[in-house]
Amino acid sequence: MFHGGLLTKLRGFYKWYVLGLVSVGYILGELGHYLIGTTSKVTADDLHYGDRSCMLNATHLHLSQLPVICEKVNSSEICESLSLNGTYYCEWGYNGLGIDYQVLAGPAFMAVFTVVGVILGVVADKYNRARILSVCTMVFVVAILMMGSVKEYWHLVILRMIMAAGESGCNPLATGILTDLFPEHQRALVLSIFNWGIYGGYGIAFPVGRYVPILNAWGLSWRLCYYSAGIVGLVIAALTFLTLREPERTTIGEEGTGKPTDGVESGKKMPQVTIWHVIAQPRIILLCLAASIRHCGGMTFAYNADLYYRDYFPDVDLGWWLFAVTVGIGSVGVVVGGVVSDKFVSRMGVRSRVLVLAVSQLIATLPAFGSVIFGPLWAMITLAFSYFFAEMWFGIVFAILVEIVPLSVRSTTVGVFLFVMNNVGGNLPILVDPVSKAIGYREAIMIFYAGFYGISSILFFLTMFFMDGAVEKPEDKTNGLDNSAYIQDETRHKPIQDARL
């Protein structure tokens, strides 16, 4: 009775349930990650860290009405003396920026995130990924919850490091699970939806970080943001532990075609493939470099967008605009990128996925500059256009990666890839602070955000020439997959059956 009827029908939806569950978990993790950027001003004022400057404190006034712009004053005495019709409209206080903030947002998180991510990637190739993912989810959820109770700056640093340790397992573990659950013609779309969690969490952080502290419910101010995310996260962690099960591991992409790799003929016995054999390939190195540069552009915008628009347009509330663009437009871009990539991969091979990356980032570059140069209205319009194309990239990158590496080191490779990508892309934005002090905040954002979009496009284009085109697959002729080149241990000489659900 348990193998028919409703249960059988529900079983067919299980893989989509898994996609939804791990995606929501990832969104919550990224919400906790990026909340520091949208709550930094009020958090810094409470915990006393970072730079202090002159800021507009009268929301009913517009910049055009002011005799002196607050942000142009560098003295606390002059700042607090500025008035209009008897009203003092400036305040001297913590602005949420400075090297303390950049360290908190970037290196403090990334240092742990990248190292633990590699370790968990290795563990995931040997042990039950579903159980490990459950533990990781609980770790970062508890850390987010505890962030609401911090009293000192260093408390926040430690908890962000703990949160990073837990969240570091989400991508390599969930990527491996989803790759084994979904077939090739859905893979880029599925991974794009999952990796949209980064932008979903980041986008939701705008209204949560801007408007929840203003409510000051129960006197919690910015702390309520972390408490709320943590409570919801506990439910997701429980569901992950109780309902997520380990899928059968399958060979995919080039490995599933029996295509020779690294000069070894298919069908011949070869030495065990190690992570070093895989990551030393020129195409992996170039793909990782291109992804690292693109990631830097994205992280620069993520860590600085709210603070940048608050600084340059203090009289205009862009919180909901930023939410609509990042979540709404970004979501459409993610889906379109996955669909386009999946549509062409069967005819052009993995090379087509890289082509989609190069073209999408090239198109996104010019309007990205516009989102920094223009005033509020056109900044949001060009940002929306840029975001649509820019956000195609993440899911496609990992669809490429899992299709060109062997099953035996798949999760490890994803972990190493994330280690390099996040160390380069996640830590380079710390240079925004010294560069902004030298040439200006706007100019620094233009370089590390829009400029790096353009550089990544060029690198993705070069990567394309190291990828293979379409290849004939065994399933075109039979119902099974047979590739003994990468099959290890007890399955080394057995055919691997197609495990599509």
Side-chain angles (χ1 to χ4, degrees), residues 155-198:
H155 295 166
L156 200 57
V157 173
I158 296 299
L159 285 172
R160 276 185 66 80
M161 294 173 73
I162 295 173
M163 181 184 72
E167 195 185 347
S168 66
C170 288
N171 198 298
L173 293 165
T175 295
I177 291 171
L178 294 173
T179 297
D180 289 334
L181 286 175
F182 288 89
E184 181 187 69
H185 68 277
Q186 296 175 328
R187 196 167 295 132
L189 174 60
V190 167
L191 292 180
S192 292
I193 293 172
F194 168 70
N195 283 292
W196 173 82
I198 295 177

Side-chain angles (χ1 to χ4, degrees), residues 233-255:
L234 289 175
V235 176
I236 298 301
L239 288 174
T240 303
F241 179 78
L242 295 173
T243 64
L244 188 63
R245 63 176 185 267
E246 177 77 357
E248 180 183 354
R249 303 188 189 224
T250 60
T251 55
I252 63 173
E254 291 181 359
E255 183 179 5

Side-chain angles (χ1 to χ4, degrees), residues 87-421:
T87 299
Y88 294 98
Y89 58 87
C90 293
E91 64 177 352
W92 183 267
Y94 292 94
N95 60 13
L97 289 168
I99 195 65
D100 286 347
Y101 166 70
Q102 296 295 345
V103 169
L104 183 64
F109 182 90
M110 290 300 174
V112 176
F113 184 85
T114 53
V115 174
V116 178
V118 174
I119 296 172
L120 290 175
V122 175
V123 171
D125 282 325
K126 301 179 182 297
Y127 301 101
N128 189 300
R129 294 167 295 182
R131 286 291 170 261
I132 300 171
L133 182 57
S134 302
V135 174
C136 288
T137 304
M138 182 58 71
V139 169
F140 78 69
V141 163
V142 171
I144 291 173
L145 194 63
M146 292 180 65
M147 284 183 197
S149 63
V150 300
K151 301 297 183 183
E152 301 287 345
Y153 170 77
W154 67 268
H155 295 166
L156 200 57
V157 173
I158 296 299
L159 285 172
R160 276 185 66 80
M161 294 173 73
I162 295 173
M163 181 184 72
E167 195 185 347
S168 66
C170 288
N171 198 298
L173 293 165
T175 295
I177 291 171
L178 294 173
T179 297
D180 289 334
L181 286 175
F182 288 89
E184 181 187 69
H185 68 277
Q186 296 175 328
R187 196 167 295 132
L189 174 60
V190 167
L191 292 180
S192 292
I193 293 172
F194 168 70
N195 283 292
W196 173 82
I198 295 177
Y199 309 102
Y202 163 56
I204 295 171
F206 282 114
V208 172
R210 277 190 176 227
Y211 307 126
V212 171
I214 294 175
L215 297 176
N216 198 28
W218 304 289
L220 294 174
S221 184
W222 61 272
R223 300 175 187 275
L224 184 60
C225 301
Y226 292 96
Y227 286 142
S228 301
I231 291 171
V232 175
L234 289 175
V235 176
I236 298 301
L239 288 174
T240 303
F241 179 78
L242 295 173
T243 64
L244 188 63
R245 63 176 185 267
E246 177 77 357
E248 180 183 354
R249 303 188 189 224
T250 60
T251 55
I252 63 173
E254 291 181 359
E255 183 179 5
T257 67
K259 182 183 181 300
T261 307
D262 292 335
V264 179
E265 292 184 30
S266 178
K268 289 189 177 182
K269 189 173 181 180
M270 61 175 285
Q272 182 177 358
V273 175
T274 69
I275 182 64
W276 307 113
H277 292 134
V278 174
I279 63 176
Q281 298 177 55
R283 58 182 180 174
I284 298 289
I285 295 173
L286 198 52
L287 180 67
C288 189
L289 177 60
S292 298
I293 296 299
R294 170 58 182 82
H295 195 48
C296 176
M299 290 297 98
T300 297
F301 183 79
Y303 291 147
N304 293 278
D306 189 71
L307 294 166
Y308 171 81
Y309 289 118
R310 282 178 188 260
D311 190 33
Y312 280 88
F313 313 122
D315 57 332
V316 181
D317 185 355
L318 296 175
W320 286 112
W321 274 91
L322 291 168
F323 170 76
V325 169
T326 53
V327 175
I329 304 298
S331 300
V332 177
V334 164
V335 173
V336 170
V339 170
V340 171
S341 173
D342 284 335
K343 184 176 181 62
F344 289 105
V345 71
S346 60
R347 286 182 288 178
M348 297 176 58
V350 72
R351 184 179 296 167
S352 64
R353 297 200 194 277
V354 190
L355 179 61
V356 172
L357 283 175
V359 173
S360 63
Q361 301 314 298
L362 178 62
I363 296 174
T365 299
L366 190 58
F369 277 105
S371 68
V372 181
I373 295 172
F374 295 133
L377 177 59
W378 279 102
M380 292 300 101
I381 292 174
T382 53
L383 178 63
F385 188 80
S386 174
Y387 226 72
F388 175 83
F389 291 97
E391 299 321 306
M392 292 182 178
W393 84 286
F394 209 88
I396 301 176
V397 163
F398 285 94
I400 294 169
L401 190 62
V402 298
E403 289 179 354
I404 62 176
V405 300
L407 169 64
S408 59
V409 292
R410 185 185 301 159
S411 293
T412 305
T413 303
V414 172
V416 172
F417 192 91
L418 284 169
F419 174 84
V420 177
M421 188 181 80

